Amino acid sequence: MQESFLRVVSSFSFIGEQFMELIYAALTLSEADKEITEENLQDIVDAAGLDVEDSEIAALVAALEDVDIEEAMETAVAGGAAPAPAADDSEEEAEEEEEEEEEEEDTSEDDAAEGLGNMF
């Protein structure tokens, strides 16, 4: 069974700048149709002059062993962005009040413009 790429990524406890650099390197290898191996990742890390632990590279390679990155990327693109979390009631009420105030301002400006037009 293939694991979700996002599930693998979220399972790492050392998520940080170095981790993201490794993910980008893995995505680059996948896009270039190259196998994601410790050696290939290390070549990218060395070429970029990054400071990444060998154990982090080994952990990522092991975690991505059963992951089809291409399929995961297609699913992520096809699925679009995740829905935004629902706002709580107080935020919704504040937004509604703000919209009503804007509508009132627009109405009073229209009324004022109309009144000036009747003067001439």
Side-chain angles (χ1 to χ4, degrees), residues 12-90:
F12 281 84
S13 61
F14 61 89
I15 292 180
E17 187 175 316
Q18 291 178 342
F19 176 73
M20 290 310 299
E21 291 166 346
L22 286 176
I23 293 295
Y24 295 142
L27 290 172
T28 300
L29 288 170
S30 176
E31 188 64 28
D33 292 326
K34 303 285 184 187
E35 189 176 356
I36 299 173
T37 64
E38 289 181 45
E39 183 179 328
N40 288 345
L41 280 174
Q42 188 64 54
D43 288 344
I44 291 176
V45 165
D46 292 342
L50 304 174
D51 182 31
V52 178
E53 299 287 325
D54 291 342
S55 60
E56 294 172 339
I57 293 173
L60 182 62
V61 169
L64 292 176
E65 186 175 4
D66 294 330
V67 175
D68 184 346
I69 294 177
E70 187 174 316
E71 180 182 320
M73 295 301 291
E74 288 174 5
T75 303
V77 170
D88 64 9
D89 292 337
S90 60

Side-chain angles (χ1 to χ4, degrees), residues 95-111:
E95 287 177 14
E96 288 176 8
E97 288 176 16
E98 196 173 303
E99 288 175 8
E100 289 174 9
E101 289 175 10
E102 287 176 10
E103 288 175 12
E104 289 174 11
E105 287 176 13
D106 289 343
T107 303
S108 44
E109 286 176 10
D110 291 342
D111 291 344

